[in-house]
Amino acid sequence: MRISLQPAYLLHRKPFRDSSQLLEVLTAEHGRISLVAKGVRRKARGGNTSALVQPFSPLLVSFSGRGEMKTLTHAELAGAPWMLRGERLFSGLYLNELMIRLLQRYDPHPMVFARYGETLAALASSAAAEPILRRFEMHLLEELGYRLSLEVEADTGEALDPNAWYRLDPDAGLVACAGTIPEIQRYQGSDLLAIAKDDIQGSSATTAKRLLRQALAVHLGDAPLRSRSLFRQYANAGDRQTPTQDESSL
Amino acid sequence: MKFSPALESLIEALRCLPGVGPRSAQRMSLHLLERDREGAETLAQSLTEAVEKIGHCSRCRNFAEETLCEICADPRRDRSTVCVVESPADVLALEQSASYRGVYFVLMGHLSPIDGIGPDDIGLDVFQRQVTDGEVKEVILATNPTVEGEATAYFLTDMLAGTGISLTRIAHGVPLGGELEYVDGSTLAHALSGRVPVDAQR
């Protein structure tokens, strides 16, 4: 199999053998794939591929091979790399970890690829980070076949009541619940309706974060997201306050 | 043909070296046994000695035989400037530039959430304690210009914000003797955005 100039983003890489690297790449038409980039750490005359193949850079990659592991034959930049600074860089690392944890290899998701690019562009702008991340998470769940239905109750099909409380049943969706169950497990109807209308700010942003965290947790399994705890440590590194869960935007 | 068990295990052991496959391991073993037994003896001794004696410097985390490495123990080094690097190889590279008189802090890695490497794994907790209760005036961030290196630099920046220590990042740009035509776009973008007035270069 030989694929030429496939649009891609690098998600992760690690050194392999003497001068090679193992790349985890998100491609438009082939989903997440593993590539071995031979000799990229060796300093080639002129440009070297290693400097080019960086996370958050739109790439065009060519690869070939028969097994599960393909060989990178060529890589070039498809556009200017997205410059993520400070907090945004940690959000970007979070996106990459999500992609690695949630997407199966060789399972093409062209829409996720497109959204990933748009999300990076949005993160590189000065727009608020939280809604950007939440929209991406919702889109990702939808693409994976687990769309969150935020307008109707899962069991009755009735529209949500802004004043009622709901809880998330991971297998079904939102189910009405009493206001007496622990606060961390219930969501206000008005916030859920706001999220459905893409109005993610203030209390609905907090709700969206909790809701998506719970929805994603089912698919992430037991191991926690490392980038999330890193982000929390980052947010608390400057001022040694007691870490509160809701300070970070992840 | 099968080799003797001792030779087999020697070949196997040599394969732990980077870039040494079964074939080169076999060639090395045969060379040592056939032509250079003395060299083999020395190699074995120095290996054992190195593994036994070499630990980490208690200040900068670089490899050291004593509690302090040579650089940290040197009274002529300027203790008020600390350069943060990712690996001992980076220290060597900076030392070869012969233009730095301060001390180092070696992270032995970089932040990489996907690999599960957090701030404490690269000694940032130790570093924070060292920097805040010491004589340090300037911290130079010399992590690699990769995404993980940048993340590490941002983390350090945030960690040391408000301590009054001046933080600097080494410049990114075009290598000396390089040709602009062959430099990749992102490096050039960095070089352009980090340009300095001509007077300041002197």
Side-chain angles (χ1 to χ4, degrees), chain A residues 42 68 108 137 158 190 195 200:
Chain A
R42 200 174 295 138
E68 192 176 347
E137 289 165 344
E158 278 175 37
S190 56
I195 300 167
I200 304 174

Side-chain angles (χ1 to χ4, degrees), chain B residues 24-112:
Chain B
S24 356
Q26 184 185 322
R27 211 171 54 232
M28 287 177 189
S29 318
L30 292 179
H31 173 85
L32 287 174
L33 292 173
E34 277 173 26
R35 293 170 220 270
D36 201 356
R37 294 222 168 205
E38 208 175 304
E41 198 84 35
T42 326
L43 178 66
Q45 268 167 18
S46 19
L47 265 179
T48 325
E49 213 173 276
V51 173
E52 271 172 14
K53 282 191 185 163
I54 298 178
H56 290 281
C57 168
S58 63
R59 266 190 84 85
C60 71
R61 307 211 329 150
N62 200 353
F63 292 123
E65 285 182 41
E66 314 291 327
T67 44
L68 283 182
C69 71
E70 268 181 45
I71 295 174
C72 289
D74 188 344
R76 286 168 302 175
R77 305 291 294 216
D78 173 13
R79 291 282 177 88
S80 64
T81 314
V82 184
C83 182
V84 182
V85 294
E86 287 184 19
S87 75
D90 297 338
V91 173
L92 221 60
L94 282 166
E95 281 300 287
Q96 273 167 4
S97 77
S99 55
Y100 181 63
R101 299 302 304 158
V103 289
Y104 296 92
F105 189 83
V106 188
L107 300 171
M108 299 280 174
H110 48 223
L111 287 181
S112 177

Side-chain angles (χ1 to χ4, degrees), chain A residues 101-169:
Chain A
R101 294 281 294 274
L102 294 178
L103 294 183
Q104 295 294 320
R105 287 213 176 100
Y106 300 102
D107 185 9
H109 284 289
M111 288 307 290
V112 172
F113 179 81
R115 271 301 182 100
Y116 178 81
E118 288 165 26
T119 306
L120 287 184
L123 281 176
S125 75
S126 54
E130 277 204 61
I132 299 170
L133 292 169
R134 295 299 91 80
R135 274 176 214 130
F136 182 77
E137 289 165 344
M138 281 196 272
H139 180 82
L140 187 60
L141 280 173
E142 188 175 333
E143 275 290 315
L144 293 174
Y146 305 103
R147 195 181 107 88
L148 285 177
S149 167
L150 295 172
E151 291 100 351
V152 290
E153 270 184 60
D155 41 2
T156 59
E158 278 175 37
L160 294 194
D161 176 359
N163 298 315
W165 291 102
Y166 297 90
R167 65 178 176 82
L168 182 68
D169 177 350

